[in-house]
Amino acid sequence: MDFFNEQNITIFDHPLIQHKISLLRDKNTGTYEFRKLVEEIAMLEGFVALSDLPLEDVEVETPIEKCRTPMIAGRKLAVVPILRAGLGMVDGVLNLVPTAKVGHIGMYRDEETHEPVEYYCKLPSPTEERTIVVTDPMLATGGSAVDAVSQIKKYGGKSIKFMCIIAAPEGLERLHNAHPDIQIYVGHLDRELNDAAYICPGLGDAGDRIFGTK
Ligand code: PRP
Ligand code: URA
């Protein structure tokens, strides 16, 4: 599969995103800096991911005269992080759209099977009328992302975007094949998964590095 030719997959090559991802990878980057970098990358990715938000002209009075000028219209935005690590990207998107609602999907990977186990789901309604940006820094086997998007669709979600910072080819292909209708944004496409289903070279366990656990 040639990922670069898929219309609804964006793999970023912006130098600022690449630079910040390299800092994230460094095992010597501490919790505070890691958290800031995840938020900044989410904001840079979000700037592009939200470039198709619909606009409508509204009337505004400037100090000079009245004019009609564009503002974000129509569908309301929701950010839905996959807990825990996806939480680290939420403020990056909220910096861009502070009025967005926030839902949560709780999932962890079973250590043996690497399959996702869902433990929480709360989405802002009406889900079907919103553009939903799902955030998770890591797309590894793709199991968590596929299940999270399925869950959002079960609640009626129709316009869904998935934003991650690092993806493995296996996970990207699995997510795209399971949900070919969603837009996927990837900060960097890494080489492969190892036997423990960690992304190589990756950045380790994103949740632990964001929250300083382990
Ligand atoms: C990590 C990551 C993703 C998932 C990716 O979460 O944040 O949610 O693994 O792996 P997958 O593509 O193989 O499903 P984890 O299960 O470590 O939970 P945490 O965020 O609570 O640490
Ligand atoms: N989850 C992570 O946090 N890191 C990986 O490399 C894979 C899954």
Side-chain angles (χ1 to χ4, degrees), residues 82-86 107-110 114-116 119 136-145 171 193 197-198 205-208:
I82 301 178
L83 307 181
R84 292 173 300 164
M107 254 174 209
Y108 68 88
R109 288 201 316 180
D110 181 280
H114 307 137
E115 285 303 311
Y119 59 86
D136 194 330
M138 309 306 277
L139 180 60
T141 66
S144 306
L193 294 176
Y198 272 80
D205 187 305
D208 283 342

mmCIF file of all heavy atoms in Angstrom, residues 82-86 107-110 114-116 119 136-145 171 193 197-198 205-208, ligand 1:
data_model
loop_
_atom_site.group_PDB
_atom_site.id
_atom_site.type_symbol
_atom_site.label_atom_id
_atom_site.label_comp_id
_atom_site.label_asym_id
_atom_site.label_seq_id
_atom_site.Cartn_x
_atom_site.Cartn_y
_atom_site.Cartn_z
ATOM 1 N N ILE A 82 -8.127 9.499 23.217
ATOM 2 C CA ILE A 82 -8.120 8.119 23.728
ATOM 3 C C ILE A 82 -7.228 8.142 24.970
ATOM 4 O O ILE A 82 -6.038 8.480 24.885
ATOM 5 C CB ILE A 82 -7.574 7.126 22.675
ATOM 6 C CG1 ILE A 82 -8.424 7.185 21.396
ATOM 7 C CG2 ILE A 82 -7.532 5.709 23.251
ATOM 8 C CD1 ILE A 82 -7.927 6.272 20.264
ATOM 9 N N LEU A 83 -7.833 7.842 26.120
ATOM 10 C CA LEU A 83 -7.093 7.892 27.386
ATOM 11 C C LEU A 83 -6.062 6.757 27.418
ATOM 12 O O LEU A 83 -6.337 5.685 26.876
ATOM 13 C CB LEU A 83 -8.053 7.737 28.561
ATOM 14 C CG LEU A 83 -9.260 8.706 28.585
ATOM 15 C CD1 LEU A 83 -10.113 8.454 29.824
ATOM 16 C CD2 LEU A 83 -8.788 10.138 28.544
ATOM 17 N N ARG A 84 -4.946 7.045 28.073
ATOM 18 C CA ARG A 84 -4.604 8.320 28.666
ATOM 19 C C ARG A 84 -3.866 9.255 27.707
ATOM 20 O O ARG A 84 -4.023 10.467 27.757
ATOM 21 C CB ARG A 84 -3.604 8.087 29.836
ATOM 22 C CG ARG A 84 -4.094 7.389 31.029
ATOM 23 C CD ARG A 84 -2.932 7.127 31.967
ATOM 24 N NE ARG A 84 -1.899 6.301 31.369
ATOM 25 C CZ ARG A 84 -0.654 6.167 31.846
ATOM 26 N NH1 ARG A 84 -0.288 6.837 32.940
ATOM 27 N NH2 ARG A 84 0.217 5.396 31.272
ATOM 28 N N ALA A 85 -2.997 8.692 26.871
ATOM 29 C CA ALA A 85 -2.012 9.538 26.184
ATOM 30 C C ALA A 85 -2.652 10.592 25.284
ATOM 31 O O ALA A 85 -2.104 11.683 25.114
ATOM 32 C CB ALA A 85 -1.038 8.668 25.392
ATOM 33 N N GLY A 86 -3.832 10.280 24.727
ATOM 34 C CA GLY A 86 -4.499 11.242 23.859
ATOM 35 C C GLY A 86 -4.812 12.556 24.552
ATOM 36 O O GLY A 86 -4.945 13.606 23.912
ATOM 37 N N MET A 107 -9.216 3.515 27.071
ATOM 38 C CA MET A 107 -8.792 2.229 26.518
ATOM 39 C C MET A 107 -7.374 1.923 26.964
ATOM 40 O O MET A 107 -6.558 2.832 27.057
ATOM 41 C CB MET A 107 -8.743 2.332 24.983
ATOM 42 C CG MET A 107 -9.866 1.639 24.318
ATOM 43 S SD MET A 107 -9.820 1.950 22.580
ATOM 44 C CE MET A 107 -11.551 1.830 22.265
ATOM 45 N N TYR A 108 -7.105 0.663 27.245
ATOM 46 C CA TYR A 108 -5.696 0.283 27.443
ATOM 47 C C TYR A 108 -5.430 -0.983 26.659
ATOM 48 O O TYR A 108 -6.363 -1.749 26.364
ATOM 49 C CB TYR A 108 -5.361 0.109 28.932
ATOM 50 C CG TYR A 108 -6.044 -1.081 29.578
ATOM 51 C CD1 TYR A 108 -5.470 -2.344 29.554
ATOM 52 C CD2 TYR A 108 -7.277 -0.930 30.212
ATOM 53 C CE1 TYR A 108 -6.104 -3.430 30.145
ATOM 54 C CE2 TYR A 108 -7.925 -2.004 30.793
ATOM 55 C CZ TYR A 108 -7.324 -3.246 30.758
ATOM 56 O OH TYR A 108 -7.968 -4.325 31.322
ATOM 57 N N ARG A 109 -4.183 -1.207 26.339
ATOM 58 C CA ARG A 109 -3.813 -2.416 25.586
ATOM 59 C C ARG A 109 -3.512 -3.543 26.554
ATOM 60 O O ARG A 109 -2.729 -3.363 27.485
ATOM 61 C CB ARG A 109 -2.545 -2.163 24.762
ATOM 62 C CG ARG A 109 -2.746 -1.290 23.599
ATOM 63 C CD ARG A 109 -1.672 -1.460 22.562
ATOM 64 N NE ARG A 109 -0.297 -1.542 23.050
ATOM 65 C CZ ARG A 109 0.742 -1.689 22.245
ATOM 66 N NH1 ARG A 109 0.571 -1.772 20.940
ATOM 67 N NH2 ARG A 109 1.960 -1.752 22.725
ATOM 68 N N ASP A 110 -4.132 -4.684 26.317
ATOM 69 C CA ASP A 110 -3.800 -5.857 27.111
ATOM 70 C C ASP A 110 -2.323 -6.196 26.843
ATOM 71 O O ASP A 110 -1.898 -6.254 25.686
ATOM 72 C CB ASP A 110 -4.698 -7.021 26.680
ATOM 73 C CG ASP A 110 -4.420 -8.266 27.495
ATOM 74 O OD1 ASP A 110 -3.432 -8.974 27.181
ATOM 75 O OD2 ASP A 110 -5.163 -8.529 28.438
ATOM 76 N N HIS A 114 -2.096 -7.493 23.279
ATOM 77 C CA HIS A 114 -1.966 -6.167 22.639
ATOM 78 C C HIS A 114 -3.300 -5.673 22.076
ATOM 79 O O HIS A 114 -3.350 -4.692 21.349
ATOM 80 C CB HIS A 114 -0.888 -6.167 21.529
ATOM 81 C CG HIS A 114 0.428 -6.691 21.993
ATOM 82 N ND1 HIS A 114 1.185 -7.557 21.241
ATOM 83 C CD2 HIS A 114 1.102 -6.491 23.140
ATOM 84 C CE1 HIS A 114 2.282 -7.879 21.904
ATOM 85 N NE2 HIS A 114 2.250 -7.235 23.047
ATOM 86 N N GLU A 115 -4.388 -6.350 22.423
ATOM 87 C CA GLU A 115 -5.708 -5.904 21.964
ATOM 88 C C GLU A 115 -6.255 -4.855 22.940
ATOM 89 O O GLU A 115 -5.999 -4.927 24.147
ATOM 90 C CB GLU A 115 -6.676 -7.088 21.876
ATOM 91 C CG GLU A 115 -6.436 -8.000 20.679
ATOM 92 C CD GLU A 115 -6.504 -7.251 19.343
ATOM 93 O OE1 GLU A 115 -7.472 -6.501 19.131
ATOM 94 O OE2 GLU A 115 -5.572 -7.400 18.536
ATOM 95 N N PRO A 116 -7.006 -3.864 22.437
ATOM 96 C CA PRO A 116 -7.518 -2.821 23.322
ATOM 97 C C PRO A 116 -8.653 -3.295 24.222
ATOM 98 O O PRO A 116 -9.462 -4.123 23.803
ATOM 99 C CB PRO A 116 -8.033 -1.763 22.341
ATOM 100 C CG PRO A 116 -8.311 -2.497 21.086
ATOM 101 C CD PRO A 116 -7.382 -3.665 21.031
ATOM 102 N N TYR A 119 -12.660 0.936 28.738
ATOM 103 C CA TYR A 119 -13.192 1.050 30.097
ATOM 104 C C TYR A 119 -14.023 2.300 30.304
ATOM 105 O O TYR A 119 -14.593 2.504 31.366
ATOM 106 C CB TYR A 119 -12.060 0.963 31.139
ATOM 107 C CG TYR A 119 -10.977 2.015 30.997
ATOM 108 C CD1 TYR A 119 -11.098 3.266 31.585
ATOM 109 C CD2 TYR A 119 -9.820 1.749 30.267
ATOM 110 C CE1 TYR A 119 -10.110 4.222 31.459
ATOM 111 C CE2 TYR A 119 -8.826 2.695 30.131
ATOM 112 C CZ TYR A 119 -8.972 3.927 30.728
ATOM 113 O OH TYR A 119 -7.976 4.879 30.595
ATOM 114 N N ASP A 136 -4.614 10.642 19.694
ATOM 115 C CA ASP A 136 -3.787 9.651 20.387
ATOM 116 C C ASP A 136 -2.392 9.768 19.788
ATOM 117 O O ASP A 136 -2.248 9.651 18.565
ATOM 118 C CB ASP A 136 -4.338 8.229 20.166
ATOM 119 C CG ASP A 136 -3.710 7.229 21.129
ATOM 120 O OD1 ASP A 136 -2.555 7.418 21.536
ATOM 121 O OD2 ASP A 136 -4.405 6.245 21.474
ATOM 122 N N PRO A 137 -1.368 10.011 20.597
ATOM 123 C CA PRO A 137 -0.040 10.200 20.005
ATOM 124 C C PRO A 137 0.462 8.968 19.249
ATOM 125 O O PRO A 137 1.238 9.108 18.310
ATOM 126 C CB PRO A 137 0.868 10.478 21.207
ATOM 127 C CG PRO A 137 -0.001 10.705 22.367
ATOM 128 C CD PRO A 137 -1.372 10.180 22.054
ATOM 129 N N MET A 138 0.032 7.754 19.663
ATOM 130 C CA MET A 138 0.631 6.540 19.106
ATOM 131 C C MET A 138 -0.402 5.685 18.373
ATOM 132 O O MET A 138 -1.440 5.315 18.927
ATOM 133 C CB MET A 138 1.259 5.691 20.226
ATOM 134 C CG MET A 138 2.196 6.447 21.138
ATOM 135 S SD MET A 138 3.517 7.313 20.275
ATOM 136 C CE MET A 138 4.701 6.007 20.053
ATOM 137 N N LEU A 139 -0.094 5.368 17.110
ATOM 138 C CA LEU A 139 -0.911 4.422 16.328
ATOM 139 C C LEU A 139 -0.001 3.226 16.079
ATOM 140 O O LEU A 139 0.835 3.252 15.179
ATOM 141 C CB LEU A 139 -1.337 5.095 15.022
ATOM 142 C CG LEU A 139 -2.202 4.300 14.052
ATOM 143 C CD1 LEU A 139 -3.515 3.878 14.676
ATOM 144 C CD2 LEU A 139 -2.468 5.119 12.787
ATOM 145 N N ALA A 140 -0.131 2.207 16.922
ATOM 146 C CA ALA A 140 0.823 1.089 16.881
ATOM 147 C C ALA A 140 0.227 -0.071 16.079
ATOM 148 O O ALA A 140 0.361 -0.113 14.856
ATOM 149 C CB ALA A 140 1.203 0.695 18.302
ATOM 150 N N THR A 141 -0.476 -1.012 16.739
ATOM 151 C CA THR A 141 -1.155 -2.068 15.972
ATOM 152 C C THR A 141 -2.401 -1.512 15.297
ATOM 153 O O THR A 141 -2.939 -2.113 14.371
ATOM 154 C CB THR A 141 -1.618 -3.226 16.878
ATOM 155 O OG1 THR A 141 -2.645 -2.742 17.761
ATOM 156 C CG2 THR A 141 -0.472 -3.809 17.703
ATOM 157 N N GLY A 142 -2.884 -0.387 15.831
ATOM 158 C CA GLY A 142 -4.102 0.226 15.293
ATOM 159 C C GLY A 142 -5.362 -0.224 16.013
ATOM 160 O O GLY A 142 -6.439 0.343 15.791
ATOM 161 N N GLY A 143 -5.231 -1.212 16.903
ATOM 162 C CA GLY A 143 -6.415 -1.757 17.578
ATOM 163 C C GLY A 143 -7.205 -0.700 18.351
ATOM 164 O O GLY A 143 -8.437 -0.633 18.245
ATOM 165 N N SER A 144 -6.496 0.137 19.120
ATOM 166 C CA SER A 144 -7.192 1.146 19.938
ATOM 167 C C SER A 144 -7.915 2.150 19.046
ATOM 168 O O SER A 144 -9.081 2.503 19.299
ATOM 169 C CB SER A 144 -6.192 1.896 20.833
ATOM 170 O OG SER A 144 -5.446 0.986 21.601
ATOM 171 N N ALA A 145 -7.241 2.622 18.009
ATOM 172 C CA ALA A 145 -7.842 3.631 17.129
ATOM 173 C C ALA A 145 -9.049 3.060 16.392
ATOM 174 O O ALA A 145 -10.095 3.717 16.285
ATOM 175 C CB ALA A 145 -6.796 4.135 16.133
ATOM 176 N N GLY A 171 -0.278 -0.215 11.798
ATOM 177 C CA GLY A 171 -1.440 0.435 12.418
ATOM 178 C C GLY A 171 -2.147 1.368 11.459
ATOM 179 O O GLY A 171 -3.386 1.433 11.427
ATOM 180 N N LEU A 193 6.752 -2.302 14.033
ATOM 181 C CA LEU A 193 6.484 -2.675 15.430
ATOM 182 C C LEU A 193 7.489 -3.737 15.852
ATOM 183 O O LEU A 193 7.894 -4.572 15.035
ATOM 184 C CB LEU A 193 5.083 -3.268 15.556
ATOM 185 C CG LEU A 193 3.899 -2.345 15.281
ATOM 186 C CD1 LEU A 193 2.596 -3.142 15.357
ATOM 187 C CD2 LEU A 193 3.876 -1.188 16.266
ATOM 188 N N ALA A 197 4.934 -5.089 20.317
ATOM 189 C CA ALA A 197 4.010 -4.152 19.665
ATOM 190 C C ALA A 197 4.310 -2.696 20.003
ATOM 191 O O ALA A 197 3.412 -1.860 20.025
ATOM 192 C CB ALA A 197 2.552 -4.512 19.950
ATOM 193 N N TYR A 198 5.573 -2.402 20.294
ATOM 194 C CA TYR A 198 6.009 -1.007 20.432
ATOM 195 C C TYR A 198 6.547 -0.510 19.097
ATOM 196 O O TYR A 198 7.128 -1.282 18.327
ATOM 197 C CB TYR A 198 7.090 -0.871 21.520
ATOM 198 C CG TYR A 198 6.469 -0.650 22.880
ATOM 199 C CD1 TYR A 198 5.958 -1.720 23.606
ATOM 200 C CD2 TYR A 198 6.341 0.633 23.410
ATOM 201 C CE1 TYR A 198 5.337 -1.527 24.835
ATOM 202 C CE2 TYR A 198 5.717 0.838 24.635
ATOM 203 C CZ TYR A 198 5.222 -0.242 25.340
ATOM 204 O OH TYR A 198 4.597 -0.045 26.546
ATOM 205 N N ASP A 205 6.698 4.541 25.783
ATOM 206 C CA ASP A 205 5.285 4.545 26.191
ATOM 207 C C ASP A 205 4.824 5.994 26.362
ATOM 208 O O ASP A 205 5.233 6.688 27.295
ATOM 209 C CB ASP A 205 5.129 3.768 27.505
ATOM 210 C CG ASP A 205 3.662 3.603 27.879
ATOM 211 O OD1 ASP A 205 2.945 4.626 27.966
ATOM 212 O OD2 ASP A 205 3.224 2.465 28.062
ATOM 213 N N ALA A 206 3.980 6.442 25.446
ATOM 214 C CA ALA A 206 3.593 7.858 25.429
ATOM 215 C C ALA A 206 2.876 8.256 26.720
ATOM 216 O O ALA A 206 3.136 9.327 27.285
ATOM 217 C CB ALA A 206 2.712 8.137 24.223
ATOM 218 N N GLY A 207 1.954 7.406 27.189
ATOM 219 C CA GLY A 207 1.196 7.732 28.410
ATOM 220 C C GLY A 207 2.136 7.904 29.596
ATOM 221 O O GLY A 207 2.038 8.875 30.353
ATOM 222 N N ASP A 208 3.063 6.983 29.750
ATOM 223 C CA ASP A 208 3.999 7.071 30.879
ATOM 224 C C ASP A 208 4.872 8.317 30.772
ATOM 225 O O ASP A 208 5.174 8.963 31.781
ATOM 226 C CB ASP A 208 4.892 5.826 30.921
ATOM 227 C CG ASP A 208 4.153 4.621 31.497
ATOM 228 O OD1 ASP A 208 3.105 4.823 32.154
ATOM 229 O OD2 ASP A 208 4.613 3.481 31.286
HETATM 230 C C1 PRP B 1 -1.112 3.443 23.966
HETATM 231 C C2 PRP B 1 -1.384 4.588 23.024
HETATM 232 C C3 PRP B 1 -2.554 4.088 22.231
HETATM 233 C C4 PRP B 1 -2.272 2.616 22.123
HETATM 234 C C5 PRP B 1 -1.724 2.352 20.761
HETATM 235 O O1 PRP B 1 -1.993 3.448 25.020
HETATM 236 O O2 PRP B 1 -1.617 5.797 23.674
HETATM 237 O O3 PRP B 1 -3.813 4.322 22.845
HETATM 238 O O4 PRP B 1 -1.294 2.309 23.124
HETATM 239 O O5 PRP B 1 -1.544 1.012 20.568
HETATM 240 P P1 PRP B 1 -2.368 0.179 19.487
HETATM 241 O O6 PRP B 1 -2.346 0.976 18.237
HETATM 242 O O7 PRP B 1 -1.555 -1.084 19.384
HETATM 243 O O8 PRP B 1 -3.729 -0.069 20.023
HETATM 244 P P2 PRP B 1 -1.860 2.435 26.268
HETATM 245 O O9 PRP B 1 -2.629 1.201 26.028
HETATM 246 O O10 PRP B 1 -0.403 2.276 26.597
HETATM 247 O O11 PRP B 1 -2.612 3.202 27.409
HETATM 248 P P3 PRP B 1 -2.214 4.570 28.157
HETATM 249 O O12 PRP B 1 -2.361 5.685 27.159
HETATM 250 O O13 PRP B 1 -3.246 4.647 29.236
HETATM 251 O O14 PRP B 1 -0.817 4.452 28.681
#
